[in-house]
Amino acid sequence: MTNTAIKARECTDFFNCSGRSTRGEFWRISLLSIVIYIMGGLLSFGIVVAVDPWLGMALSIMVHTLAFLLPLPTTVRRYHDLDMSGTWYLFFACFSVFVVPALLNFILLGFLPGTRGPNRYGPPPTDVAPIVVKKIQASSSSSPQLFKLRLERIEKMYAKKMISKQKYEQQKAALLAKIEASSHQQKEGVSTTSKAKDAALETPQADVKTVSQSDSETP
């Protein structure tokens, strides 16, 4: 599902500082912030030189503020993924002028994986937007393939001790029941479709017989 879904969780949780985020989210929002910083800096420099210095300075301040605040929610959730408080963002922001703190922060957020399983900030993050997941579920909510994928995911979570045995058994039983029910519904749908096709094929034949009989009765 992650191969076909759009990786856009940061669009739905853009201003949300609770929960956890993935390294992919952090890299995407950081690259966007860098692009805004560079483009805005060039534009403000051009305005300072060609138009008005005060206007260029005001634009530069706005660009720097936006570039600083844009990755804030995702960065805080990235610290949460590492089981760290979001206040570390302020610490590293204050000492980012020094090489060692900046490098340490870069390694922490960009390369270290989050804690396995749930931590004090919530369950492990996913790189799929909730809106996309809802669309996929709506389009194929009764598909046995989807239920089988969910069952495989639950089995992997149980193998990694991310969920308890009781919860695993409950979810497994529910999914197996859904798989059986959806398979039965699909079989009924196939039989109904085949009957409809047979009826559609029989109708022209009946019309042909009626026409042939009327032709034979005509002198």
Side-chain angles (χ1 to χ4, degrees), residues 77-102:
R77 287 187 279 114
R78 183 71 188 102
Y79 282 119
H80 291 172
D81 191 39
L82 298 169
D83 204 14
M84 299 172 63
S85 174
T87 54
W88 281 98
Y89 181 79
L90 298 176
F91 172 80
F92 283 109
C94 293
F95 293 96
S96 60
V97 293
F98 301 102
V99 177
V100 175

Side-chain angles (χ1 to χ4, degrees), residues 165-184:
K165 184 177 181 180
Q166 182 180 2
K167 189 174 182 180
Y168 165 72
E169 295 293 342
Q170 292 176 353
Q171 294 185 3
K172 181 180 178 180
L175 285 174
L176 289 175
K178 290 180 179 179
I179 291 172
E180 184 178 357
S182 61
S183 299
H184 182 66

